């Protein structure tokens, strides 16, 4: 995944690209952690050596819903940050995250 949208030789652009990439990785880690905790707790009442079909379906549905919700919240947040940055007359740090 590449967010490089500017001149690669510009140090400021390189730093901004790195910040964007690190933010995206941190968001993905947080999402995975929350999905694991929330969906595991909800769908697997008594852990064993394997998952039942019901548990697998529950986990799948839970993850899909959680990720879809995460995406809506992320897009809304990024839009608000960009709107605030635009009103302040500057570019937002979150520009180009593609979350």
């Amino acid at each position: 995944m590449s967010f490089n949208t500017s001149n690669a030789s510009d140090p400021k652009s390189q730093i901004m690209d790195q910040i964007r990439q690190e933010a995206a990785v941190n968001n993905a880690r947080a999402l995975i952690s929350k999905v694991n905790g929330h969906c595991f707790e909800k769908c697997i009442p008594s852990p064993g050596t394997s998952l039942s079909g019901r548990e697998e379906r529950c986990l799948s549905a839970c993850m899909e819903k959680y990720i879809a919700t995460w995406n809506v919240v992320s897009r809304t947040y990024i839009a608000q940050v960009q709107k605030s940055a635009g009103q302040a007359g500057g570019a937002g740090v979150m520009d180009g995250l593609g979350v």
Side-chain angles (χ1 to χ4, degrees), residues 46-99:
S46 47
T49 58
S50 63
L51 297 175
S52 70
R54 181 182 170 284
E55 290 170 334
E56 286 182 16
R57 287 187 301 276
C58 179
L59 280 172
S60 180
C62 180
M63 285 187 214
E64 287 176 15
K65 288 178 186 176
Y66 202 93
I67 290 170
T69 301
W70 178 279
N71 286 335
V72 168
V73 170
S74 294
R75 283 191 301 270
T76 303
Y77 175 74
I78 289 169
Q80 288 297 322
V81 168
Q82 290 173 339
K83 181 179 177 183
S84 295
Q87 290 173 350
V93 173
M94 306 297 277
D95 288 349
L97 276 183
V99 180

Side-chain angles (χ1 to χ4, degrees), residues 2-8 13-14 16-17 20-21 95-97:
S2 176
F3 298 107
N4 192 357
T5 58
S6 53
N7 186 352
S13 296
Q14 290 175 344
M16 291 303 294
D17 287 341
R20 287 182 187 106
Q21 290 172 356
D95 288 349
L97 276 183

